């Protein structure tokens, strides 16, 4: 088991290197002279030359890439912002908790509400509870999260005046962003939970349990749910990754100074150290979410656990 | 023999369509989608207004008989812009999903069929590719490529490819060892012909389902992209861009925001209902 974890951690490191390479190359390919964009159209050629040298932009691609990789992955330093000349790492560390609060609370709500709704729908298949949950889920799968966010602002902030429309001056500012970024994930999760519960609901072991006279609630909890759990975990982990990747949009709707909003400002102002830092953080977070998900599989499914403990894995 | 001759084989497409629209929700989805597509394609020819025609007298006007859905901040007729914008949104969703599925199917079939080092290389590549979440790649590529239609299609495509590749490869791994592939190999079929004539038709079903569902989520992604200022740019009437302009007037003229938002949600709703219908029709477990 521990061998597997170490192997996966090493793989994560390699993936992050590659992600760093990809994001650096993509920003390198953006057309236009960055020095000119940063200094404005009136800058003279002398000033531009000095600026290019200061940012290292006059070096060939491979030298720039090498310096970026060295600074990022050996010294863990993203350098200073090209626009504000302040440390990117310090700013990023200040912003990470805000994005994580939204993503992780969204995930907790998703696991509790989405899964339960899916189970209710599956155990009442064909009845009104099933149709009701599935229609609502379909509506929220289809509505873009930023549109839902704007509707919530319209209702709760502008019409009713209960919650702030933007900013995070108090904890109430987090309520709308969390709800609007998790509604879509809850809907996806409810659909996924329903269909994976339906896969096992007619299995022989369920009939056996029922024949023994076991209580319905125990059958659902102890016999059906553990067997339906795998796709649900995949869905929840994927949902978290999608939520974190969607943070630029939600954070720009609510003007929250999180990682996503930082990334967008970096993209718009051609402030590439900011873009590199944000993308590498988001990739790191996604990799860890997937790693934890895979470990959950092994933890929950004795068949997979047995494969690892014997030291051989059937499928890579 | 006569009985066999009298038996008429049902048209496969018609049969599939009939099975798909058996459920009420799928029927509703198809009808809604056809109406939306027709309105977007034909509607603009009947509109008396120009899509970018500025009319400052009617600025911010609410819905009325002359302007069914009201006017925006430059007095442009929102319904006309909605129909033109629908062309963009639908085309973006369709092109990106189909293009992404095509690339994914090709890479996935190569990986699954040839196996060995090629497979390891391609699958590790996909691991790295998938480590950057779709929306992020989309933002970065859109930033590099600029704001045209085809650059946006490309930006929307890149995020979905690893998923399709993994799915196709997984399917091919289970099919590869079956007898009909061995039979094809024994009569000296070329790899190309085995891959695309024998394997692909047997593994394509899940791709069809995810591609259909993907059109909806791609449309949402396209709208998000123009909402944050990348992708299709104003004054082009893309739905997400219209929503972004509408957001600035959220306090005073919410109709500017509601109309394009509901249009996106309704279209994606219709596509998802169709996707569910296709999944149920293709799933052999549910067949009668």
């Amino acid at each position: 088991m521990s061998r597997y974890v170490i192997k996966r951690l090493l793989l994560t490191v390699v993936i992050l290197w590659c992600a760093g390479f990809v994001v650096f190359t993509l920003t390198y390919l953006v057309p236009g002279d960055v020095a000119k964009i940063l200094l404005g159209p009136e800058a003279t050629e002398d000033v531009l030359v000095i600026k290019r040298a200061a940012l290292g932009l006059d070096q060939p691609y491979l030298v720039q890439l090498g310096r970026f990789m060295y600074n990022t992955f050996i010294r863990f330093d993203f350098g200073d912002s090209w626009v504000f000349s302040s440390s990117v790492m310090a700013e990023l560390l200040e912003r990470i908790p805000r994005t994580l609060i939204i993503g992780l609370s969204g995930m907790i709500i998703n696991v509790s509400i989405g899964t339960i709704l899916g189970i209710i729908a599956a155990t009442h298949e064909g009845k009104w509870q099933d149709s009701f949950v599935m229609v609502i889920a379909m509506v929220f799968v289809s509505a873009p999260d930023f549109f839902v966010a704007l509707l919530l602002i319209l209702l709760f902030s502008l019409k009713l005046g209960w919650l702030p429309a933007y900013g995070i001056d108090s904890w109430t500012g987090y309520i709308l962003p969390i709800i609007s970024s998790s509604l879509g994930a809850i809907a996806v999760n409810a659909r996924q939970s329903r269909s994976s519960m339906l896969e096992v609901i007619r299995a022989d072991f369920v009939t056996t349990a029922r024949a023994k006279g076991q209580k319905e609630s125990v059958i659902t909890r102890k016999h059906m749910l553990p067997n339906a759990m795998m796709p649900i975990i995949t869905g929840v982990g994927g949902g978290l990754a999608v939520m974190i990747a969607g943070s630029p949009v939600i954070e720009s709707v609510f003007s929250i100074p999180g990682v996503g909003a930082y990334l967008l400002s970096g993209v718009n102002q051609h402030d590439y150290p900011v873009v590199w830092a944000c993308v590498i953080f988001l990739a790191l977070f996604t990799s860890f979410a997937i790693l934890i998900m895979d470990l959950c599989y092994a933890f929950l499914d004795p068949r997979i656990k047995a494969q690892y403990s014997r030291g051989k894995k059937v499928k890579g | 023999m006569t009985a066999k001759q009298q038996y008429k084989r049902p048209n496969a497409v018609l049969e599939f369509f009939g099975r798909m629209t058996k459920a009420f929700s799928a029927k509703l989805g198809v009808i809604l989608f056809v109406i939306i597509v027709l309105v977007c394609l034909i509607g603009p020819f009947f509109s008396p207004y120009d899509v970018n025609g500025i009319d400052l007298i009617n600025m911010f006007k609410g819905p009325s008989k002359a302007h069914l859905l009201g006017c925006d901040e430059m007095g442009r007729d929102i319904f006309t812009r909605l129909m033109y914008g629908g062309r963009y949104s639908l085309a973006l969703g369709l092109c990106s999903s189909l293009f992404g599925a095509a690339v994914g199917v090709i890479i996935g079939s190569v990986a699954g069929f040839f196996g060995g080092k090629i497979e390891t290389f391609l699958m590790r590549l996909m691991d790295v590719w998938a480590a950057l979440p779709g929306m992020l790649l989309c933002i970065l590529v859109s930033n590099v490529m600029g704001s045209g239609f085809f650059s946006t299609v490309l930006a929307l495509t890149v995020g979905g490819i690893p998923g399709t590749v993994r799915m196709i490869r997984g399917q091919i791994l289970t099919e590869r060892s079956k007898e009909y592939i061995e039979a094809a190999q024994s009569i000296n079929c070329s790899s190309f012909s085995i891959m695309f004539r024998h394997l692909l038709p047997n593994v394509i079903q899940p791709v069809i389902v995810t591609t259909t569902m993907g059109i909806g989520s791609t449309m949402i992604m396209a709208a998000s992209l123009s909402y944050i200022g990348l992708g299709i740019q104003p004054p082009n009437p893309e739905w997400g861009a219209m929503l972004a302009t509408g957001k600035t007037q959220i306090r005073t003229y919410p109709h500017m925001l509601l109309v394009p938002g509901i249009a996106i949600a309704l279209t994606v709703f219709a596509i998802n209902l169709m996707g569910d219908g296709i999944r149920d029709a293709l799933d052999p477990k549910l067949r009668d």
Side-chain angles (χ1 to χ4, degrees):
Chain A
M1 195 66 202
S2 59
R3 260 186 65 189
Y4 173 67
V5 175
I6 292 168
K7 204 175 137 195
R8 282 297 309 264
L9 282 175
L10 286 177
L11 190 67
T12 307
V13 172
V14 175
I15 284 177
L16 280 182
W17 281 345
C18 298
F21 165 73
V22 170
V23 65
F24 180 83
T25 311
L26 280 176
T27 51
Y28 182 83
L29 290 174
V30 174
D33 181 358
V34 178
K36 206 170 222 166
I37 294 165
L38 291 174
L39 293 174
E42 276 125 47
T44 57
E45 190 53 37
D46 305 342
V47 185
L48 287 178
V49 169
I50 295 169
K51 184 79 178 172
R52 275 186 215 123
L55 300 179
L57 292 172
D58 49 351
Q59 309 276 344
Y61 167 69
L62 280 178
V63 176
Q64 287 188 42
L65 176 68
R67 189 191 295 151
F68 161 75
M69 296 296 260
Y70 174 74
N71 283 337
T72 307
F73 294 110
I74 311 280
R75 294 179 49 220
F76 301 109
D77 181 16
F78 293 105
D80 290 344
S81 156
W82 289 355
V83 176
F84 301 110
S85 312
S86 56
S87 164
V88 172
M89 197 61 162
E91 178 79 32
L92 188 69
L93 288 177
E94 199 180 309
R95 283 165 178 263
I96 285 174
R98 299 172 189 145
T99 301
L100 286 190
I101 286 177
I102 298 177
L104 293 178
S105 9
M107 189 185 84
I108 292 167
I109 297 177
N110 180 10
V111 172
S112 38
I113 299 180
T115 316
I116 290 173
L117 284 180
I119 294 172
I120 292 176
T123 47
H124 295 86
E125 193 195 357
K127 300 201 187 105
W128 68 266
Q129 293 97 328
D130 182 24
S131 331
F132 181 72
V133 170
M134 282 306 109
V135 168
I136 301 279
M138 193 47 135
V139 169
F140 283 107
V141 168
S142 309
D145 51 358
F146 61 96
F147 179 57
V148 173
L150 290 170
L151 288 182
L152 290 176
I153 291 181
L154 204 58
L155 179 62
F156 289 106
S157 307
L158 302 181
K159 287 268 182 299
L160 298 171
W162 290 353
L163 295 165
Y166 54 84
I168 42 162
D169 299 328
S170 68
W171 63 272
T172 47
Y174 281 112
I175 297 179
L176 287 184
I178 291 174
I179 295 178
S180 48
S181 64
S182 60
L183 273 176
I186 292 176
V188 173
N189 186 20
R191 282 162 57 87
Q192 178 66 61
S193 311
R194 175 180 180 266
S195 63
S196 50
M197 282 296 277
L198 285 182
E199 298 252 313
V200 297
I201 216 161
R202 280 183 210 87
D204 289 342
F205 59 82
V206 173
T207 317
T208 313
R210 208 166 275 148
K212 284 194 309 185
Q214 189 63 274
K215 269 191 289 182
E216 269 313 302
S217 59
V218 178
I219 296 178
T220 310
R221 209 176 58 239
K222 288 228 163 121
H223 295 269
M224 290 199 267
L225 196 55
N227 284 291
M229 213 56 209
M230 296 292 144
I232 299 179
I233 294 174
T234 315
V236 170
L240 179 64
V242 169
M243 241 189 273
I244 290 290
S247 61
V249 182
I250 285 294
E251 283 173 11
S252 89
V253 172
F254 289 100
S255 319
I256 292 170
V259 179
Y262 201 32
L263 170 69
L264 268 191
S265 79
V267 166
N268 289 332
Q269 297 174 320
H270 295 257
D271 194 351
Y272 294 138
V274 172
V275 178
W276 301 331
C278 292
V279 169
I280 287 174
F281 164 71
L282 292 172
L284 178 74
F285 187 82
T286 317
S287 306
F288 267 107
I290 295 172
L291 175 65
I292 292 171
M293 208 165 76
D294 282 356
L295 293 179
C296 279
Y297 281 158
F299 184 71
L300 283 173
D301 193 335
R303 283 165 296 191
I304 299 182
K305 204 174 182 176
Q307 280 173 17
Y308 290 132
S309 56
R310 264 187 317 213
K312 49 185 170 183
K313 226 158 56 113
V314 174
K315 245 164 75 176
Chain B
M1 241 5 237
T2 44
K4 208 171 185 182
Q5 277 163 353
Q6 276 164 7
Y7 175 71
K8 200 167 155 243
R9 199 168 164 232
N11 184 323
V13 176
L14 278 182
E15 194 200 345
F16 168 74
F17 195 73
R19 208 160 49 208
M20 179 189 144
T21 51
K22 212 160 57 184
F24 168 74
S25 57
K27 217 177 281 169
L28 180 73
V30 172
I31 293 172
L32 256 178
F33 185 68
V34 170
I35 291 176
I36 292 169
V37 170
L38 284 181
V39 167
C40 289
L41 286 183
I42 303 173
F45 297 116
F46 296 99
S47 166
Y49 304 103
D50 180 25
V51 60
N52 285 325
I54 294 170
D55 176 12
L56 295 179
I57 298 169
N58 283 322
M59 222 161 70
F60 296 125
K61 218 167 168 197
S64 64
K65 227 179 216 167
H67 299 277
L68 284 178
L69 295 174
C71 296
D72 67 2
E73 82 284 3
M74 292 186 199
R76 297 171 295 197
D77 181 55
I78 292 184
F79 191 45
T80 310
R81 288 178 68 71
L82 200 67
M83 293 187 291
Y84 275 101
R87 293 177 172 183
Y88 267 112
S89 297
L90 286 168
L92 277 178
L94 284 171
C95 295
S96 317
S97 307
L98 291 179
F99 184 49
V103 176
V105 163
I106 292 173
I107 301 180
S109 330
V110 170
F113 183 72
F114 289 109
K117 279 191 182 137
I118 299 177
E119 182 182 14
T120 317
F121 170 74
L122 286 174
M123 294 324 288
R124 287 293 92 83
L125 191 72
M126 291 303 133
D127 284 345
V128 176
W129 198 332
L132 287 174
M135 190 66 208
L136 287 187
L137 264 181
C138 185
I139 290 174
L140 291 174
V141 174
S142 172
N143 188 32
V144 176
M145 301 290 299
S147 62
F149 179 78
F150 287 102
S151 349
T152 311
V153 167
L154 200 70
L156 292 171
T157 304
V158 285
I161 291 176
T164 318
V165 171
R166 285 183 177 156
M167 191 168 56
I168 277 283
R169 171 193 165 252
Q171 290 282 315
I172 286 185
L173 281 186
T174 57
E175 288 292 307
R176 191 163 66 177
S177 52
K178 291 202 173 156
E179 275 162 0
Y180 67 92
I181 300 298
E182 203 180 326
Q185 271 162 344
S186 67
I187 58 168
N188 215 6
C189 269
S190 68
S191 305
F192 185 84
S193 136
I194 295 178
M195 217 154 72
F196 290 101
R197 279 192 56 190
H198 299 284
L199 264 177
L200 204 55
N202 286 298
V203 298
I204 202 75
Q205 288 198 355
V207 179
I208 295 176
V209 175
T210 41
T211 308
T212 322
M213 301 296 253
I215 298 173
S217 50
T218 314
M219 283 181 64
I220 291 182
M221 214 147 104
S224 314
L225 205 59
S226 13
Y227 179 81
I228 56 178
L230 297 159
I232 306 286
Q233 302 283 324
N236 287 322
E238 206 269 341
W239 287 346
M242 287 172 73
L243 241 173
T245 351
K247 193 218 169 180
T248 55
Q249 310 294 340
I250 185 170
R251 282 170 193 279
T252 36
Y253 305 103
H255 72 274
M256 276 180 63
L257 168 107
L258 293 175
V259 170
I262 292 174
I264 300 174
L266 204 63
T267 313
V268 177
F269 185 70
I271 292 172
N272 284 344
L273 286 181
M274 280 184 358
D276 269 6
I278 293 176
R279 186 195 58 206
D280 292 347
L282 286 177
D283 190 349
K285 273 184 259 171
L286 296 172
R287 253 177 227 174
D288 305 330

